[in-house]
Amino acid sequence: MLERACHLPGLDPDALDWHRLSFARGDTGPDIAVPVLGPGDIDRLAAHVRDNAAARLRAMPVARIVEAIDAVIVRLLDRQDPYRRKMEQMLPAVTGYDPEMVRLGLTRYLMTFRKPELLRFLAEDFPNPAILDGFQPLPKGGYGKAFGPPLLAHIWAGNVPGLPLWSMVCGLLVKSGTIGKVSSAEPLFAGWFAQVLAEVAPDLAECLAVVWWQGGESAPEQAMLGAADLTLAYGSNTSLAAIAGRMPPGKRLLRFGHKVSFAMIAAVALDPAKVADTARRAARDIARYDQQGCFAPHVVFVERGGRLCPRSFARYLARALDAFGHRFPARALTMAETASFAAWCQQEEFTHDAEVMGDAHGGWTVSFHNAGQGFGPSCLNRSVKVVAVDDLANVPGLVAPFRALLQTVGIAASPDELFRLAGLLGDAGVTRIAALGDMTTPEAGWHHDGRCNLSDLVQITEIDARAPPAADKLAFYDD
Amino acid sequence: MTHEPVVFRLLEFIAAEPSGDDAFNGLALTLFAYQFQNNAPFAKFARSRGKTPHTVRHWSDIPAVPINAFKTLDLTCCPPQKAAAIFMTSGTTQAGRRGKSHHAALDVYDASMRHNFSRCFMRGDDRLTMGILFPDPATLPNSSLAHYLDLAICGFGTGQSDWLLGPDGIDLPRLVRALDQAETTGQPYALLGASFSLVHAMDALQAMGRRFCLPPGSRILDTGGFKGQSRELEPDAFYDALEHTFGVPRASCIGMYGMTELSSQFYDDGNAVCPSVKSGPHWVRSRVVNPVTGARVPKGERGVLVHTDLAHYNIVTSILTEDAAIEVDDGFLLLGRVTGGDAVGCSVAVDEFLRAAAV
């Protein structure tokens, strides 16, 4: 059956041309169509979304928006729901990820958008979330109200299922009209969210458009960037720089570039009683979505001096990845990806003189560095460098040159060490520290790339502390 | 086995008529044992893959060495300092590390080149007047291509043949003179060079407003590779331009594919149709494989080339290239260098990572 991606409130889908996207792997593949939109269509969608947000969303109490999002999430968590079934069926086919991994990943991910989590998300940025609904007293005196941009644009990238949900939810919570462009690698999730929203809260769905165009096409992008008050863009640093170059003057752009994460294992964790669990947790972080998410580690630094040596840990990790692969097989690679995987392994072995362990089918690779090379890229798809170091406190110095790219660090260490290392890593540019095994599942309200997700989007209109007393003088009850 | 008998057997094998898989297999296994014994880095590599002369029974089981390894390992059966020639890649990747092939002697390399060149390029002619658009071996002593072209001009060129690329680039007046002369005398002419040199020559001739119609029997040999040194042309546009500029039909424009990491070359039978089918001589076997598993991919599907070149006896016979290809009935379609996949997620890809460190 043909699946039409996107969500186009105010446009007649049958009046549009639709473009088929091919995701064929072998003989079968899902049949997905995306709308061919010109700049005029984008202008109309932008106006529709902006007008509806002004008329409906901006006056809606944030608590109601939370309820509506929660209702959508509950539906998507229900495995009998037709949209959830479509997700479980089509997302693995589109992205190539293992179906069971996608199913478990979706549930775990969607759980972080239930009502209590959304409230925490709000509280993280707004001590008093009512500031989104009306003027609230400010600690310095006076009153303030937070306004999201009337029209917020999103440019999404990559194929990790569900990623657009973060920024769509942010847009709704700050009451912005939203127009988001999906990536060709995973064009479905955002549109499905909007369609369920249309069933749960039709008012809200009029304030949200999900569009597609071929990456690099400039006319529709120009229309969207021109119409929006603020744009959130995700992607490689090259494509973000290109978007920044095309921004109309005076418009704001928030960039979320590709990131790199790594893990650190303290000597204390290399205890025979605990090492298998540590390796399993690290393997989970490496294998989930085949390392394509920016939370997944490229490198695992392992401290010498524990009861087991770093090389033993590398072997435990290799076994754990192998076991994980039996339960959740890795995505089939294209020939180009296979070639880079092979080239990376060869470079590790011959150029960096590493001990390379892997399975015969290229399902995973552990490259062990006992000395020499410190921080460096993995070729992803479950490939990781394990680097032995004398002291984990030296690691921040090794990663500091990559400051702009650093994101999550998974740490297995004692509580004192955790905080000591976190301080050093934060100074080097790292923005999130997690327990091993939790690297790829950030909690609700986390500061994405160290930023404030919601308060970054709004501007505060404040009433000077002296204004109400001055107004009092003009009140009918003034003596 | 020692060096001399190996060379003797190889020269015999090359000179003989193509024989079946058994003869090839026998010699390949002999060479594997010879390399395993004399080439320590290769023996270590083979052992790490669980392959020794005791376990390998068929040439296709000989572990293929990735060309990356040529940059860091001294893969040679003779001591490196005793090599008669060391050919190096021009690559500037990996902090200037260049792939090296040590040749204990050049008898086999030269015999391999001559035999195959004669069959695939000379096509029955003994000698042709040649113009070489490449630096000579004195200028590039470590270039296998310069040596190859030297063998061509010395072994198959007439006395009027000439190197046309000097330190200042193409010697245009000499090129024009040679082409004019061929047109006047009606003697077939052969132009040989790297693809980018041919593009430079065509650009320069076009700037002069010159076109030629070389006599029948003339031919062009391009050795592939733009390497960022000229504008890059799609194969069809490239061969059209050659035909247009020199008047040599595309069927007489022959593509050669060779590597520093080999001692033999591959040719197509002209480029009337692109992509053309390339194939090697009877002492080489090529397979198209999945570069991770090493398993052969089905005919007609993309993969990466593995060559087993018996003439590369002093180094390693089986190499894993980075060249994408599709296996077809009489050889393979060469698709160029494999490039890495684009990032599909939001984690940085290798290139972006390296760029960040370079800033």
Side-chain angles (χ1 to χ4, degrees):
Chain A
M1 202 187 83
L2 181 72
E3 179 69 24
R4 279 183 170 178
C6 299
H7 175 70
L8 311 165
L11 294 191
D12 174 9
D14 294 327
L16 296 170
D17 287 335
W18 290 79
H19 170 80
R20 296 277 177 101
L21 290 179
S22 166
F23 293 93
R25 286 184 167 76
D27 299 335
T28 55
D31 207 3
I32 291 164
V34 282
V36 179
L37 300 169
D41 299 314
I42 301 292
D43 287 341
R44 273 192 292 284
L45 279 169
H48 181 93
V49 163
R50 179 193 285 271
D51 294 348
N52 276 277
R56 308 164 192 232
L57 186 57
R58 292 180 92 75
M60 197 180 281
V62 72
R64 255 200 71 201
I65 301 173
V66 167
E67 303 271 353
I69 298 170
D70 184 50
V72 176
I73 298 297
V74 168
R75 288 233 355 223
L76 297 181
L77 280 165
D78 174 7
R79 295 198 59 207
Q80 303 311 317
D81 185 271
Y83 281 93
R84 170 65 185 228
R85 288 161 91 146
K86 277 206 267 195
M87 286 182 178
E88 289 189 15
Q89 187 203 340
M90 299 182 85
L91 289 177
V94 164
T95 60
Y97 295 125
D98 177 66
E100 191 61 3
M101 188 165 75
V102 169
R103 181 180 79 76
L104 294 173
L106 276 176
T107 297
R108 195 161 166 176
Y109 179 63
L110 290 166
M111 278 164 62
T112 62
F113 292 91
R114 290 297 317 271
K115 182 175 168 185
E117 281 71 26
L118 292 173
L119 293 177
R120 261 206 298 161
F121 199 10
L122 282 165
E124 191 59 41
D125 276 18
F126 303 111
N128 176 6
I131 197 169
L132 289 160
D133 295 336
F135 285 94
Q136 301 295 321
L138 297 174
K140 69 161 182 63
Y143 299 83
K145 182 178 175 190
F147 290 89
L151 185 64
L152 179 62
H154 311 246
I155 299 174
W156 295 304
N159 75 350
V160 176
L163 272 190
L165 190 54
W166 281 112
S167 67
M168 275 195 295
V169 164
C170 289
L172 287 170
L173 289 177
V174 300
K175 306 182 185 182
S176 292
T178 286
I179 178 165
K181 187 245 169 201
V182 295
S183 95
S184 298
E186 198 284 90
L188 294 170
F189 187 95
W192 284 332
F193 175 84
Q195 288 159 26
V196 180
L197 187 66
E199 293 179 14
V200 169
D203 274 11
L204 280 182
E206 294 296 313
C207 310
L208 171 62
V210 178
V211 298
W212 174 91
W213 56 79
Q214 190 73 55
E217 215 182 312
S218 66
E221 183 191 89
Q222 215 56 52
M224 186 173 86
L225 296 178
D229 303 282
L230 170 63
T231 299
L232 303 179
Y234 300 78
S236 72
N237 293 320
T238 318
S239 57
L240 292 183
I243 293 168
R246 295 194 289 265
M247 283 304 286
K251 302 278 187 176
R252 259 181 93 205
L253 171 71
L254 289 181
R255 299 191 237 186
F256 294 90
H258 288 173
K259 294 288 172 184
V260 60
S261 298
F262 60 95
M264 296 166 83
I265 316 285
V268 68
L270 299 180
D271 178 295
K274 296 173 184 161
V275 68
D277 182 55
T278 307
R280 241 191 326 270
R281 295 178 68 88
R284 206 190 305 156
D285 284 333
I286 294 162
R288 189 169 288 137
Y289 293 133
D290 299 339
Q291 252 169 330
Q292 297 299 332
C294 49
F295 320 115
H298 282 239
V299 178
V300 181
F301 293 101
V302 185
E303 196 170 43
R304 291 195 183 92
R307 289 184 57 197
L308 292 167
C309 63
R311 177 179 271 112
S312 300
F313 178 79
R315 300 225 161 106
Y316 271 100
L317 181 60
R319 271 198 289 277
L321 281 169
D322 199 46
F324 203 96
H326 286 295
R327 198 167 157 214
F328 305 103
R331 189 172 63 95
L333 302 184
T334 64
M335 188 44 68
E337 288 171 323
T338 306
S340 13
F341 196 92
W344 181 83
C345 294
Q346 291 155 17
Q347 200 151 28
E348 288 293 293
E349 180 174 359
F350 297 111
T351 311
H352 302 312
D353 205 19
E355 188 180 326
V356 178
M357 306 163 220
D359 78 341
H361 310 292
W364 54 270
T365 300
V366 173
S367 168
F368 176 65
H369 296 250
N370 201 25
Q373 219 220 7
F375 198 45
S378 106
C379 70
L380 308 181
N381 301 309
R382 307 189 187 186
S383 66
V384 70
K385 287 174 192 262
V386 173
V387 176
V389 292
D390 288 332
D391 185 349
L392 287 183
N394 299 333
V395 170
L398 296 174
V399 301
F402 300 89
R403 181 178 188 90
L405 292 182
L406 301 179
Q407 198 204 55
T408 297
V409 178
I411 296 186
S414 67
D416 288 347
E417 266 182 303
L418 172 68
F419 280 94
R420 187 172 57 93
L421 291 171
L424 297 171
L425 290 167
D427 210 21
V430 169
T431 55
R432 177 171 168 257
I433 313 284
L436 273 187
D438 295 333
M439 292 180 72
T440 59
T441 51
E443 58 200 340
W446 77 294
H447 292 90
H448 187 179
D449 294 347
R451 295 218 288 249
C452 298
N453 299 302
L454 297 174
S455 57
D456 255 7
L457 303 182
V458 300
Q459 63 183 33
I460 306 285
T461 297
E462 63 175 47
I463 298 174
D464 188 290
R466 291 160 293 185
D472 274 342
K473 296 202 175 78
L474 303 172
F476 69 90
Y477 47 77
D478 182 57
D479 296 331
Chain B
M1 208 179 227
T2 55
H3 183 249
E4 283 74 23
V6 165
V7 170
F8 181 76
R9 274 191 68 180
L10 276 164
L11 291 175
E12 219 175 36
F13 192 87
I14 287 169
E17 282 302 302
S19 46
D21 200 51
D22 284 351
F24 183 90
N25 196 42
L27 188 48
L29 295 182
T30 303
L31 292 175
F32 176 52
Y34 174 74
Q35 289 162 0
F36 195 85
Q37 190 188 345
N38 297 299
N39 182 343
F42 173 64
K44 185 178 166 210
F45 169 82
R47 267 194 218 100
S48 76
R49 268 58 177 173
K51 308 283 187 185
T52 72
H54 294 294
T55 62
V56 172
R57 287 281 165 270
H58 192 258
W59 62 267
S60 61
D61 281 337
I62 296 170
V65 177
I67 57 165
N68 229 306
F70 284 72
K71 294 177 180 149
T72 47
L73 304 181
D74 280 335
L75 295 162
T76 168
C77 292
C78 72
Q81 62 279 11
K82 291 207 172 147
I86 303 173
F87 293 143
M88 296 191 195
T89 58
S90 55
T92 49
T93 52
Q94 275 191 29
R97 276 188 179 156
R98 300 165 68 184
K100 305 176 291 293
S101 280
H102 294 80
H103 294 270
L106 286 170
D107 322 29
V108 174
Y109 186 100
D110 295 357
S112 164
M113 183 280 171
R114 287 194 193 104
H115 198 93
N116 206 20
F117 183 81
S118 162
R119 188 174 63 90
C120 300
F121 187 72
M122 296 308 290
R123 295 173 164 181
D125 287 321
D126 287 340
R127 289 193 178 265
L128 285 167
T129 301
M130 294 182 181
I132 311 278
L133 291 169
F134 201 77
D136 63 17
T139 313
L140 292 181
N142 293 118
S143 162
S144 56
L145 188 53
H147 176 70
Y148 165 94
L149 292 166
D150 193 44
L151 292 174
I153 204 167
C154 296
F156 303 93
T158 65
Q160 288 91 52
S161 300
D162 209 355
W163 297 86
L164 298 172
L165 200 75
D168 305 322
I170 296 172
D171 189 336
L172 210 54
R174 272 193 9 237
L175 171 64
V176 170
R177 207 155 50 234
L179 295 169
D180 276 335
Q181 195 172 5
E183 272 185 342
T184 317
T185 61
Q187 294 292 316
Y189 186 77
L191 195 58
L192 299 84
S195 306
F196 60 83
S197 305
L198 288 163
V199 171
H200 285 153
M202 289 192 283
D203 288 349
L205 292 172
Q206 195 185 9
M208 295 168 68
R210 292 296 310 261
R211 275 178 66 183
F212 298 87
C213 188
L214 290 173
S218 296
R219 65 206 77 170
I220 294 173
L221 180 101
D222 77 278
T223 65
F226 290 98
K227 298 186 177 172
Q229 302 211 33
S230 75
R231 64 201 169 86
E232 206 146 314
L233 293 178
E234 290 301 314
D236 268 315
F238 176 68
Y239 291 110
D240 278 344
L242 286 179
E243 182 171 303
H244 176 83
T245 311
F246 300 106
V248 175
R250 282 178 53 159
S252 300
C253 295
I254 292 153
M256 183 277 265
Y257 157 61
M259 307 175 69
T260 303
E261 296 87 350
L262 290 178
S263 291
S264 302
Q265 297 79 32
F266 305 83
Y267 298 91
D268 54 43
D269 192 21
N271 282 276
V273 179
C274 286
S276 53
V277 178
K278 290 199 164 53
S279 62
H282 65 263
W283 55 94
V284 177
R285 295 274 195 281
S286 301
R287 285 169 293 150
V288 178
V289 304
N290 174 314
V292 171
T293 64
R296 217 164 168 155
V297 301
K299 232 180 203 181
E301 281 184 26
R302 289 169 84 99
V304 169
L305 278 167
V306 167
H307 303 296
T308 300
D309 176 11
L310 302 184
H312 213 45
Y313 71 94
N314 188 60
I315 298 106
V316 294
T317 47
S318 290
I319 66 158
L320 172 62
T321 70
E322 293 173 353
D323 296 321
I326 294 175
E327 190 180 334
V328 292
D329 276 343
D330 302 317
F332 52 86
L333 304 177
L334 189 63
L335 305 173
R337 209 150 165 102
V338 283
T339 48
D342 290 333
V344 291
C346 52
S347 188
V348 294
V350 173
D351 288 353
E352 195 173 355
F353 200 120
L354 296 176
R355 272 202 303 278
V359 173

